């Protein structure tokens, strides 16, 4: 085996593939463990020595399809099934 340009062509295998939980290409195909989120471990992989990685996947990094409406609903007391009262316009 030579160590120059010819050996660069023999790097065609992949050790990692897409992870089902985090979506990164970090799931090891033989070890069956994600290097990014530690799937299938039920606890997410996070360390304080990598604060930027925690910030990258914390709440608010995505769309927050449900959570962005919760604050508005909480200020109204989580009311449901009611109709707004008619506002009477003040004539001047």
């Amino acid at each position: 085996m030579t160590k120059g340009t010819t050996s660069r062509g023999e790097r065609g295998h992949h050790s990692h593939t897409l992870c089902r939980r985090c979506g990164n290409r970090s799931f090891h195909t033989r070890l069956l463990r994600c290097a990014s989120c530690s799937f299938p471990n039920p606890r997410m992989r996070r360390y304080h020595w990598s604060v930027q990685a925690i910030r990258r996947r914390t709440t608010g990094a995505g769309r927050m399809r449900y959570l962005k409406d919760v604050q508005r609903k909480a200020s109204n007391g989580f009311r449901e099934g009611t109709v707004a009262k008619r506002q009477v316009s003040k004539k001047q």
Side-chain angles (χ1 to χ4, degrees):
M1 180 94 181
T2 58
K3 54 183 183 172
T5 310
T6 54
S7 61
R8 306 306 291 177
E10 301 203 8
R11 304 186 316 146
H13 63 281
H14 301 297
S15 58
H16 292 86
T17 185
L18 292 178
C19 174
R20 292 204 315 251
R21 179 161 67 183
C22 68
N24 294 328
R25 187 169 170 251
S26 307
F27 189 76
H28 201 284
T29 51
R30 281 182 308 175
L31 299 179
L32 300 177
R33 172 83 47 178
C34 179
S36 179
C37 71
S38 142
F39 180 81
N41 190 7
R43 291 188 182 181
M44 283 289 282
R45 175 187 176 271
R46 61 183 297 219
Y47 295 104
H48 288 290
W49 47 258
S50 181
V51 180
Q52 188 174 9
I54 298 174
R55 199 167 58 232
R56 202 179 290 131
R57 60 171 148 242
T58 189
T59 308
R63 282 173 57 185
M64 295 202 316
R65 289 185 287 269
Y66 169 74
L67 204 57
K68 62 184 169 187
D69 295 332
V70 171
Q71 189 173 6
R72 174 177 47 81
K73 290 179 179 180
S75 65
N76 295 319
F78 295 100
R79 64 183 176 208
E80 287 183 343
T82 60
V83 181
K85 293 179 182 177
R86 229 173 140 190
Q87 293 182 348
V88 180
S89 62
K90 297 178 182 176
K91 295 188 178 180
Q92 297 167 357

Coordinates of all heavy atoms in Angstrom, one line a residue:
M1 N 0.8 -1.2 0.0 CA 0.0 0.0 0.0 C 0.9 1.2 0.0 O 1.7 1.4 0.9 CB -0.9 0.0 1.3 CG -1.8 1.1 1.4 SD -3.3 0.7 0.7 CE -4.2 2.2 0.9
T2 N 0.7 2.1 -1.0 CA 1.5 3.3 -1.0 C 0.8 4.4 -0.2 O -0.4 4.2 0.2 CB 1.6 3.8 -2.5 OG1 0.3 4.0 -3.0 CG2 2.3 2.8 -3.3
K3 N 1.5 5.4 0.2 CA 1.0 6.4 1.1 C 0.7 7.7 0.4 O 0.5 8.7 1.1 CB 1.9 6.6 2.3 CG 3.3 6.9 1.9 CD 4.1 7.0 3.2 CE 5.6 7.3 2.9 NZ 6.3 7.6 4.1
G4 N 0.7 7.8 -0.9 CA 0.5 9.1 -1.6 C -0.9 9.2 -2.1 O -1.9 8.9 -1.4
T5 N -1.0 9.7 -3.3 CA -2.3 10.0 -3.9 C -3.2 8.7 -4.1 O -4.4 8.8 -4.0 CB -2.1 10.7 -5.3 OG1 -1.2 11.7 -5.1 CG2 -3.4 11.2 -5.8
T6 N -2.6 7.6 -4.3 CA -3.4 6.4 -4.6 C -4.2 6.0 -3.4 O -5.3 5.4 -3.5 CB -2.5 5.3 -5.0 OG1 -1.4 5.1 -4.0 CG2 -1.8 5.6 -6.4
S7 N -3.7 6.2 -2.2 CA -4.4 5.8 -1.0 C -5.6 6.7 -0.7 O -6.5 6.3 0.1 CB -3.5 5.7 0.2 OG -3.0 7.0 0.5
R8 N -5.7 7.8 -1.3 CA -6.8 8.7 -1.1 C -8.1 8.2 -1.7 O -9.2 8.5 -1.3 CB -6.5 10.1 -1.6 CG -5.3 10.8 -1.1 CD -5.2 10.8 0.3 NE -6.1 11.7 0.9 CZ -6.3 11.9 2.2 NH1 -5.5 11.3 3.1 NH2 -7.2 12.7 2.7
G9 N -7.9 7.3 -2.7 CA -9.1 6.8 -3.4 C -9.8 5.7 -2.6 O -10.8 5.2 -3.0
E10 N -9.2 5.2 -1.6 CA -9.7 4.0 -0.9 C -10.4 4.4 0.4 O -10.5 3.7 1.4 CB -8.6 3.1 -0.5 CG -7.8 2.6 -1.7 CD -7.1 1.3 -1.5 OE1 -7.3 0.7 -0.4 OE2 -6.3 0.9 -2.3
R11 N -11.0 5.6 0.4 CA -11.7 6.1 1.6 C -13.2 6.2 1.2 O -13.8 7.2 1.5 CB -11.2 7.5 2.0 CG -9.6 7.5 2.2 CD -9.2 8.7 2.8 NE -9.7 9.9 2.1 CZ -10.0 11.0 2.7 NH1 -9.8 11.2 4.0 NH2 -10.5 12.0 2.0
G12 N -13.8 5.2 0.6 CA -15.1 5.3 0.2 C -16.2 4.7 1.1 O -17.3 4.7 0.8
H13 N -15.8 4.2 2.3 CA -16.8 3.7 3.2 C -17.1 4.7 4.3 O -16.3 5.6 4.6 CB -16.2 2.4 3.9 CG -15.0 2.7 4.7 ND1 -13.8 2.8 4.2 CD2 -14.9 2.8 6.1 CE1 -12.9 3.0 5.2 NE2 -13.6 3.1 6.3
H14 N -18.3 4.6 4.8 CA -18.8 5.6 5.8 C -19.0 4.8 7.1 O -19.7 3.8 7.1 CB -20.1 6.2 5.4 CG -20.0 7.0 4.1 ND1 -19.2 8.0 3.9 CD2 -20.7 6.8 2.9 CE1 -19.4 8.5 2.6 NE2 -20.2 7.7 2.0
S15 N -18.5 5.4 8.2 CA -18.7 4.8 9.5 C -20.0 5.3 10.1 O -20.6 4.7 11.0 CB -17.5 5.0 10.4 OG -17.3 6.4 10.5
H16 N -20.4 6.6 9.8 CA -21.6 7.2 10.4 C -22.6 7.5 9.3 O -22.3 7.8 8.2 CB -21.2 8.5 11.0 CG -20.3 8.4 12.2 ND1 -18.9 8.3 12.1 CD2 -20.5 8.3 13.5 CE1 -18.4 8.1 13.3 NE2 -19.3 8.1 14.2
T17 N -23.9 7.4 9.8 CA -25.0 7.7 8.9 C -26.0 8.6 9.7 O -25.7 9.0 10.8 CB -25.7 6.4 8.5 OG1 -26.8 6.7 7.6 CG2 -26.3 5.6 9.7
L18 N -27.1 8.9 9.1 CA -28.1 9.9 9.7 C -28.7 9.3 11.0 O -29.1 8.1 11.0 CB -29.2 10.3 8.8 CG -28.7 11.1 7.6 CD1 -29.9 11.4 6.7 CD2 -28.1 12.4 8.0
C19 N -28.8 10.1 12.0 CA -29.4 9.7 13.3 C -30.9 10.0 13.2 O -31.4 11.0 12.7 CB -28.8 10.5 14.4 SG -29.6 10.2 16.0
R20 N -31.7 9.1 13.8 CA -33.2 9.2 13.8 C -33.6 10.3 14.7 O -34.7 10.9 14.5 CB -33.8 7.9 14.2 CG -33.7 6.8 13.3 CD -34.8 5.7 13.4 NE -35.1 5.3 14.7 CZ -34.8 4.1 15.3 NH1 -34.1 3.3 14.6 NH2 -35.2 3.9 16.5
R21 N -32.9 10.6 15.8 CA -33.4 11.5 16.8 C -32.9 13.0 16.5 O -33.7 13.9 16.4 CB -32.9 11.1 18.2 CG -33.3 12.1 19.2 CD -33.3 11.6 20.6 NE -32.0 11.3 21.1 CZ -31.7 10.7 22.2 NH1 -32.7 10.3 23.0 NH2 -30.5 10.4 22.6
C22 N -31.6 13.1 16.2 CA -31.1 14.5 16.0 C -30.9 14.9 14.6 O -30.8 16.1 14.3 CB -29.7 14.7 16.8 SG -28.4 13.7 16.1
G23 N -30.9 13.9 13.7 CA -30.8 14.2 12.3 C -29.4 14.5 11.7 O -29.2 14.7 10.6
N24 N -28.4 14.4 12.6 CA -27.0 14.6 12.2 C -26.4 13.4 11.6 O -26.9 12.3 11.9 CB -26.1 15.1 13.4 CG -26.5 16.5 13.9 OD1 -27.0 17.3 13.1 ND2 -26.4 16.7 15.2
R25 N -25.4 13.5 10.9 CA -24.7 12.3 10.3 C -23.7 11.8 11.3 O -22.5 11.8 11.1 CB -24.0 12.7 9.0 CG -23.5 11.5 8.2 CD -23.1 11.9 6.8 NE -22.3 10.9 6.2 CZ -21.0 11.0 5.9 NH1 -20.3 12.0 6.3 NH2 -20.4 10.0 5.3
S26 N -24.2 11.4 12.5 CA -23.3 11.0 13.6 C -23.7 9.6 14.2 O -23.1 9.2 15.2 CB -23.5 12.0 14.7 OG -23.3 13.3 14.2
F27 N -24.6 8.9 13.5 CA -25.0 7.6 14.1 C -24.0 6.5 13.5 O -23.9 6.3 12.3 CB -26.4 7.2 13.6 CG -27.0 6.0 14.3 CD1 -27.4 6.1 15.6 CD2 -27.0 4.8 13.6 CE1 -27.9 5.0 16.3 CE2 -27.5 3.7 14.3 CZ -28.0 3.8 15.6
H28 N -23.3 5.9 14.4 CA -22.3 4.9 14.0 C -23.0 3.6 13.6 O -23.8 3.1 14.4 CB -21.3 4.6 15.2 CG -20.0 4.0 14.7 ND1 -19.9 2.7 14.4 CD2 -18.8 4.6 14.6 CE1 -18.6 2.5 14.0 NE2 -17.9 3.6 14.2
T29 N -22.7 3.1 12.4 CA -23.5 2.0 11.8 C -23.1 0.7 12.5 O -24.0 -0.2 12.6 CB -23.2 1.9 10.3 OG1 -21.8 1.9 10.1 CG2 -23.9 3.1 9.6
R30 N -21.9 0.5 13.0 CA -21.5 -0.7 13.7 C -21.8 -0.7 15.2 O -22.2 -1.6 15.8 CB -20.1 -1.1 13.4 CG -19.9 -1.7 12.0 CD -18.5 -2.1 11.8 NE -17.6 -0.9 12.1 CZ -16.3 -1.0 12.1 NH1 -15.7 -2.1 11.8 NH2 -15.6 0.1 12.4
L31 N -21.4 0.5 15.8 CA -21.6 0.6 17.2 C -23.1 0.9 17.6 O -23.5 0.8 18.8 CB -20.7 1.7 17.8 CG -19.2 1.5 17.6 CD1 -18.5 2.7 18.2 CD2 -18.8 0.2 18.3
L32 N -23.9 1.3 16.6 CA -25.3 1.7 16.8 C -25.5 2.7 17.9 O -26.3 2.5 18.8 CB -26.1 0.4 17.1 CG -26.1 -0.7 16.0 CD1 -26.8 -1.9 16.4 CD2 -26.6 -0.1 14.7
R33 N -24.7 3.7 17.9 CA -24.7 4.8 18.9 C -24.5 6.1 18.2 O -23.5 6.2 17.4 CB -23.7 4.5 20.0 CG -23.5 5.6 20.9 CD -24.4 5.6 22.1 NE -24.6 4.3 22.7 CZ -25.4 4.1 23.7 NH1 -26.1 5.1 24.2 NH2 -25.6 2.9 24.2
C34 N -25.3 7.1 18.5 CA -25.0 8.4 17.9 C -24.0 9.2 18.7 O -24.0 9.3 19.9 CB -26.3 9.3 17.9 SG -26.1 10.9 17.1
A35 N -23.0 9.8 17.9 CA -21.9 10.5 18.6 C -22.4 11.9 19.0 O -21.7 12.5 19.8 CB -20.7 10.6 17.6
S36 N -23.5 12.4 18.5 CA -23.9 13.7 18.8 C -25.0 13.8 19.9 O -24.8 14.6 20.8 CB -24.5 14.3 17.5 OG -25.0 15.6 17.8
C37 N -26.0 12.9 19.8 CA -27.0 12.9 20.9 C -27.1 11.7 21.7 O -27.9 11.6 22.6 CB -28.4 13.1 20.2 SG -29.0 11.7 19.3
S38 N -26.2 10.7 21.4 CA -26.1 9.4 22.2 C -27.3 8.5 22.1 O -27.6 7.7 23.0 CB -25.8 9.8 23.7 OG -26.4 9.0 24.6
F39 N -28.1 8.7 21.0 CA -29.2 7.8 20.7 C -28.6 6.4 20.5 O -27.6 6.2 20.0 CB -29.9 8.2 19.4 CG -31.1 7.4 19.0 CD1 -32.3 7.5 19.6 CD2 -30.9 6.4 18.0 CE1 -33.4 6.8 19.2 CE2 -32.0 5.6 17.6 CZ -33.2 5.8 18.2
P40 N -29.2 5.3 21.0 CA -30.6 5.1 21.6 C -30.7 5.3 23.1 O -31.7 5.0 23.8 CB -30.9 3.6 21.3 CG -29.6 3.0 21.3 CD -28.6 4.0 20.8
N41 N -29.7 5.9 23.7 CA -29.8 6.3 25.1 C -30.9 7.3 25.3 O -31.0 8.3 24.6 CB -28.4 6.9 25.6 CG -28.3 7.1 27.1 OD1 -29.2 6.6 27.8 ND2 -27.3 7.8 27.5
P42 N -31.8 7.1 26.3 CA -32.9 8.0 26.5 C -32.5 9.4 26.9 O -33.3 10.3 26.6 CB -33.8 7.3 27.6 CG -32.9 6.3 28.2 CD -31.9 5.9 27.2
R43 N -31.4 9.6 27.5 CA -30.9 10.9 27.9 C -30.1 11.5 26.7 O -29.3 10.8 26.1 CB -30.1 10.9 29.1 CG -30.8 10.5 30.4 CD -30.0 10.6 31.6 NE -30.7 10.2 32.8 CZ -30.2 10.3 34.0 NH1 -29.0 10.7 34.2 NH2 -30.9 9.9 35.0
M44 N -30.4 12.8 26.5 CA -29.6 13.5 25.4 C -28.2 13.7 25.9 O -27.9 14.0 27.1 CB -30.3 14.8 25.1 CG -31.5 14.8 24.3 SD -31.2 14.3 22.6 CE -30.6 15.9 21.9
R45 N -27.3 13.6 24.9 CA -25.9 13.8 25.2 C -25.6 15.3 25.3 O -25.8 16.0 24.3 CB -25.0 13.2 24.2 CG -23.5 13.5 24.3 CD -22.8 12.9 23.0 NE -21.4 13.2 23.0 CZ -20.9 14.3 22.5 NH1 -21.7 15.2 22.0 NH2 -19.6 14.5 22.6
R46 N -25.1 15.9 26.4 CA -24.8 17.3 26.6 C -23.8 17.4 27.7 O -23.9 16.8 28.7 CB -26.0 18.2 26.8 CG -26.8 17.9 28.1 CD -28.0 18.7 28.2 NE -27.6 20.1 28.3 CZ -28.2 21.0 29.1 NH1 -29.2 20.6 29.8 NH2 -27.9 22.3 29.1
Y47 N -22.8 18.3 27.4 CA -21.7 18.5 28.3 C -21.5 20.0 28.4 O -21.6 20.7 27.5 CB -20.4 17.8 27.8 CG -20.5 16.3 27.8 CD1 -20.6 15.7 26.5 CD2 -20.4 15.6 28.9 CE1 -20.7 14.3 26.5 CE2 -20.5 14.2 28.9 CZ -20.6 13.6 27.7 OH -20.7 12.2 27.6
H48 N -21.1 20.4 29.6 CA -20.9 21.8 29.9 C -19.6 22.4 29.3 O -19.5 23.6 29.2 CB -20.9 22.1 31.4 CG -22.3 22.0 32.0 ND1 -23.3 22.9 31.7 CD2 -22.9 21.1 32.8 CE1 -24.4 22.5 32.3 NE2 -24.2 21.4 33.0
W49 N -18.7 21.5 28.9 CA -17.5 22.0 28.3 C -17.8 22.4 26.8 O -16.9 22.9 26.1 CB -16.4 20.9 28.3 CG -16.7 19.5 28.0 CD1 -16.9 18.5 28.8 CD2 -16.8 18.9 26.7 NE1 -17.2 17.3 28.2 CE2 -17.1 17.6 26.8 CE3 -16.7 19.5 25.4 CZ2 -17.3 16.7 25.7 CZ3 -16.9 18.6 24.3 CH2 -17.2 17.3 24.5
S50 N -19.0 22.1 26.3 CA -19.3 22.5 25.0 C -20.7 23.3 25.1 O -21.7 22.8 24.7 CB -19.5 21.3 24.0 OG -19.8 21.8 22.7
V51 N -20.6 24.5 25.5 CA -21.8 25.3 25.7 C -22.4 25.7 24.4 O -23.6 25.8 24.3 CB -21.4 26.6 26.5 CG1 -22.6 27.5 26.7 CG2 -20.8 26.2 27.9
Q52 N -21.6 25.9 23.4 CA -22.1 26.2 22.1 C -23.0 25.1 21.5 O -24.0 25.4 20.8 CB -21.0 26.6 21.1 CG -21.4 27.2 19.8 CD -20.3 27.6 18.9 OE1 -19.1 27.4 19.2 NE2 -20.6 28.3 17.9
A53 N -22.6 23.9 21.7 CA -23.4 22.7 21.2 C -24.7 22.6 22.0 O -25.7 22.3 21.3 CB -22.6 21.4 21.4
I54 N -24.7 23.0 23.2 CA -26.0 23.0 24.0 C -26.9 24.1 23.4 O -28.1 23.9 23.2 CB -25.7 23.2 25.5 CG1 -24.9 22.1 26.1 CG2 -27.0 23.4 26.2 CD1 -24.5 22.3 27.5
R55 N -26.3 25.3 23.2 CA -27.1 26.4 22.7 C -27.6 26.1 21.3 O -28.7 26.6 20.9 CB -26.1 27.6 22.6 CG -26.8 29.0 22.6 CD -25.9 30.1 22.9 NE -24.7 30.1 21.9 CZ -23.4 30.1 22.3 NH1 -23.2 30.1 23.6 NH2 -22.5 30.2 21.5
R56 N -26.9 25.3 20.5 CA -27.3 25.0 19.2 C -28.6 24.2 19.1 O -29.3 24.3 18.1 CB -26.2 24.3 18.5 CG -26.2 24.3 17.0 CD -25.0 23.6 16.4 NE -23.7 24.3 16.7 CZ -22.6 23.7 17.2 NH1 -22.7 22.4 17.5 NH2 -21.5 24.3 17.4
R57 N -28.8 23.4 20.1 CA -30.0 22.5 20.1 C -31.0 22.7 21.2 O -31.8 21.9 21.5 CB -29.6 21.1 20.0 CG -28.8 20.6 21.1 CD -28.6 19.0 21.1 NE -27.4 18.6 21.6 CZ -26.4 18.0 20.9 NH1 -26.6 17.7 19.7 NH2 -25.3 17.6 21.5
T58 N -31.0 23.9 21.8 CA -31.8 24.2 23.0 C -33.2 24.7 22.5 O -33.4 24.8 21.3 CB -31.2 25.2 23.9 OG1 -32.0 25.2 25.1 CG2 -31.1 26.5 23.3
T59 N -34.1 24.9 23.4 CA -35.4 25.4 23.1 C -35.3 26.8 22.5 O -34.6 27.6 23.0 CB -36.3 25.5 24.4 OG1 -36.2 24.3 25.0 CG2 -37.7 25.8 24.0
G60 N -36.0 27.0 21.3 CA -35.9 28.2 20.6 C -35.0 28.2 19.4 O -35.0 29.1 18.6
A61 N -34.3 27.1 19.2 CA -33.4 26.9 18.1 C -34.2 26.5 16.8 O -33.8 26.7 15.7 CB -32.3 25.9 18.3
G62 N -35.5 26.0 17.1 CA -36.3 25.5 16.0 C -37.5 26.5 15.9 O -37.5 27.6 16.2
R63 N -38.6 25.9 15.3 CA -39.8 26.8 15.1 C -40.6 27.0 16.3 O -41.4 28.0 16.4 CB -40.7 26.1 14.0 CG -40.2 26.2 12.6 CD -41.0 25.4 11.6 NE -42.4 25.7 11.7 CZ -43.3 25.0 11.0 NH1 -43.0 24.0 10.3 NH2 -44.6 25.4 11.1
M64 N -40.6 26.1 17.3 CA -41.4 26.2 18.5 C -42.9 26.3 18.1 O -43.6 27.2 18.5 CB -41.0 27.3 19.4 CG -39.6 27.2 19.9 SD -39.4 28.2 21.4 CE -40.1 29.7 21.1
R65 N -43.4 25.3 17.3 CA -44.7 25.4 16.7 C -45.8 25.5 17.8 O -46.8 26.2 17.6 CB -45.0 24.2 15.9 CG -44.2 24.3 14.6 CD -44.6 23.1 13.7 NE -44.1 21.8 14.1 CZ -42.9 21.3 13.8 NH1 -42.1 22.0 12.9 NH2 -42.5 20.2 14.2
Y66 N -45.6 24.9 19.0 CA -46.6 24.9 20.0 C -46.2 26.0 21.1 O -47.0 26.7 21.6 CB -46.7 23.5 20.7 CG -47.5 23.6 22.0 CD1 -48.9 23.7 21.9 CD2 -46.9 23.4 23.2 CE1 -49.7 23.7 23.1 CE2 -47.6 23.5 24.4 CZ -49.0 23.6 24.3 OH -49.7 23.6 25.5
L67 N -44.9 26.0 21.4 CA -44.5 26.7 22.6 C -44.6 28.2 22.4 O -44.8 29.0 23.4 CB -43.0 26.4 22.9 CG -42.6 26.6 24.4 CD1 -43.5 25.8 25.3 CD2 -41.2 26.1 24.5
K68 N -44.6 28.7 21.2 CA -44.7 30.2 21.0 C -46.1 30.7 21.3 O -46.2 31.9 21.4 CB -44.2 30.6 19.6 CG -45.0 30.0 18.5 CD -44.3 30.5 17.2 CE -44.8 29.7 16.0 NZ -44.1 30.0 14.8
D69 N -47.1 29.9 21.3 CA -48.4 30.3 21.6 C -48.8 30.2 23.1 O -49.8 30.7 23.5 CB -49.4 29.5 20.8 CG -49.3 29.7 19.3 OD1 -48.9 30.8 18.9 OD2 -49.6 28.8 18.6
V70 N -48.0 29.5 23.9 CA -48.3 29.2 25.3 C -48.3 30.5 26.1 O -49.2 30.7 26.9 CB -47.3 28.2 25.9 CG1 -47.5 28.0 27.3 CG2 -47.5 26.8 25.2
Q71 N -47.4 31.4 25.9 CA -47.3 32.6 26.7 C -48.6 33.5 26.5 O -49.1 34.0 27.4 CB -46.1 33.4 26.4 CG -45.8 34.6 27.3 CD -44.5 35.2 27.0 OE1 -43.8 34.9 26.1 NE2 -44.2 36.2 27.9
R72 N -49.1 33.6 25.3 CA -50.3 34.3 25.0 C -51.5 33.7 25.6 O -52.3 34.3 26.2 CB -50.5 34.4 23.5 CG -51.8 35.1 23.1 CD -51.9 35.2 21.6 NE -51.5 34.0 20.8 CZ -52.4 33.0 20.6 NH1 -53.6 33.0 21.2 NH2 -52.0 32.0 20.0
K73 N -51.6 32.3 25.5 CA -52.7 31.6 26.1 C -52.7 31.7 27.7 O -53.7 31.8 28.3 CB -52.7 30.2 25.7 CG -53.0 29.9 24.3 CD -52.9 28.5 23.9 CE -53.3 28.2 22.5 NZ -53.2 26.8 22.1
A74 N -51.5 31.7 28.2 CA -51.3 31.8 29.7 C -51.8 33.1 30.2 O -52.4 33.2 31.3 CB -49.9 31.5 30.1
S75 N -51.6 34.2 29.5 CA -52.0 35.5 29.9 C -53.5 35.7 29.9 O -54.1 36.5 30.6 CB -51.4 36.6 29.1 OG -51.9 36.5 27.7
N76 N -54.2 34.8 29.1 CA -55.6 34.8 29.1 C -56.2 33.7 29.9 O -57.4 33.5 29.9 CB -56.1 34.7 27.6 CG -55.7 35.9 26.8 OD1 -55.8 37.0 27.3 ND2 -55.3 35.6 25.6
G77 N -55.4 33.0 30.7 CA -55.9 32.0 31.6 C -56.3 30.7 30.9 O -57.1 29.9 31.4
F78 N -55.7 30.4 29.8 CA -56.0 29.2 29.0 C -57.5 29.0 28.8 O -58.0 27.9 28.9 CB -55.4 27.9 29.7 CG -53.9 28.0 29.8 CD1 -53.3 28.4 31.0 CD2 -53.2 27.6 28.7 CE1 -51.9 28.5 31.0 CE2 -51.8 27.7 28.8 CZ -51.1 28.1 29.9
R79 N -58.2 30.0 28.4 CA -59.6 29.9 28.2 C -59.9 29.2 26.8 O -59.1 29.4 25.9 CB -60.3 31.3 28.2 CG -59.8 32.2 27.2 CD -60.4 33.6 27.3 NE -59.9 34.5 26.3 CZ -59.8 35.8 26.4 NH1 -60.2 36.3 27.5 NH2 -59.2 36.5 25.5
E80 N -61.0 28.5 26.8 CA -61.4 27.8 25.5 C -62.9 27.9 25.3 O -63.6 27.9 26.3 CB -60.9 26.3 25.6 CG -59.4 26.1 25.4 CD -59.0 24.7 25.4 OE1 -59.9 23.8 25.8 OE2 -57.9 24.4 25.0
G81 N -63.3 27.8 24.1 CA -64.7 27.8 23.8 C -65.5 29.0 24.1 O -66.7 28.9 24.3
T82 N -64.9 30.1 24.2 CA -65.6 31.4 24.4 C -65.5 32.3 23.2 O -64.6 32.1 22.4 CB -65.0 32.1 25.7 OG1 -63.6 32.4 25.4 CG2 -65.1 31.3 26.9
V83 N -66.4 33.3 23.2 CA -66.4 34.2 22.1 C -66.2 35.6 22.7 O -66.7 35.9 23.8 CB -67.8 34.2 21.3 CG1 -67.8 35.2 20.2 CG2 -68.1 32.8 20.8
A84 N -65.4 36.4 22.0 CA -65.1 37.7 22.5 C -66.3 38.6 22.6 O -67.2 38.5 21.7 CB -64.0 38.4 21.6
K85 N -66.4 39.4 23.6 CA -67.5 40.3 23.8 C -67.4 41.4 22.7 O -66.3 41.8 22.3 CB -67.5 41.0 25.2 CG -67.8 40.0 26.3 CD -67.7 40.7 27.6 CE -67.9 39.7 28.7 NZ -67.8 40.3 30.1
R86 N -68.6 41.9 22.3 CA -68.7 43.0 21.3 C -68.2 44.3 21.9 O -68.7 44.7 23.0 CB -70.1 43.1 20.8 CG -70.1 43.1 19.3 CD -71.5 43.1 18.8 NE -71.5 44.0 17.7 CZ -72.5 44.4 17.1 NH1 -73.7 44.0 17.4 NH2 -72.4 45.2 16.0
Q87 N -67.3 45.0 21.3 CA -66.9 46.3 21.8 C -67.7 47.4 21.3 O -68.0 47.4 20.0 CB -65.4 46.5 21.4 CG -64.5 45.5 22.1 CD -63.0 45.8 21.7 OE1 -62.8 46.6 20.8 NE2 -62.1 45.2 22.4
V88 N -68.2 48.2 22.2 CA -69.0 49.4 21.8 C -68.1 50.5 21.4 O -67.3 50.9 22.2 CB -70.0 49.7 22.9 CG1 -70.9 50.9 22.5 CG2 -70.9 48.6 23.3
S89 N -68.3 51.1 20.2 CA -67.5 52.2 19.8 C -68.0 53.5 20.5 O -69.2 53.7 20.5 CB -67.5 52.3 18.3 OG -68.8 52.6 17.8
K90 N -67.0 54.3 20.9 CA -67.4 55.5 21.6 C -67.4 56.6 20.5 O -66.4 56.9 19.8 CB -66.3 55.9 22.6 CG -66.2 54.9 23.7 CD -65.2 55.3 24.7 CE -65.1 54.2 25.8 NZ -64.0 54.5 26.7
K91 N -68.6 57.2 20.3 CA -68.8 58.2 19.3 C -68.4 59.6 19.9 O -68.8 59.9 21.1 CB -70.2 58.3 18.8 CG -70.5 57.0 18.0 CD -71.9 57.1 17.3 CE -72.1 55.8 16.6 NZ -73.4 55.9 15.9
Q92 N -67.7 60.4 19.2 CA -67.3 61.7 19.7 C -68.1 62.8 19.2 O -68.5 62.9 18.2 CB -65.8 61.9 19.4 CG -65.0 60.8 20.1 CD -63.5 60.8 19.6 OE1 -63.2 61.5 18.7 NE2 -62.7 59.9 20.1

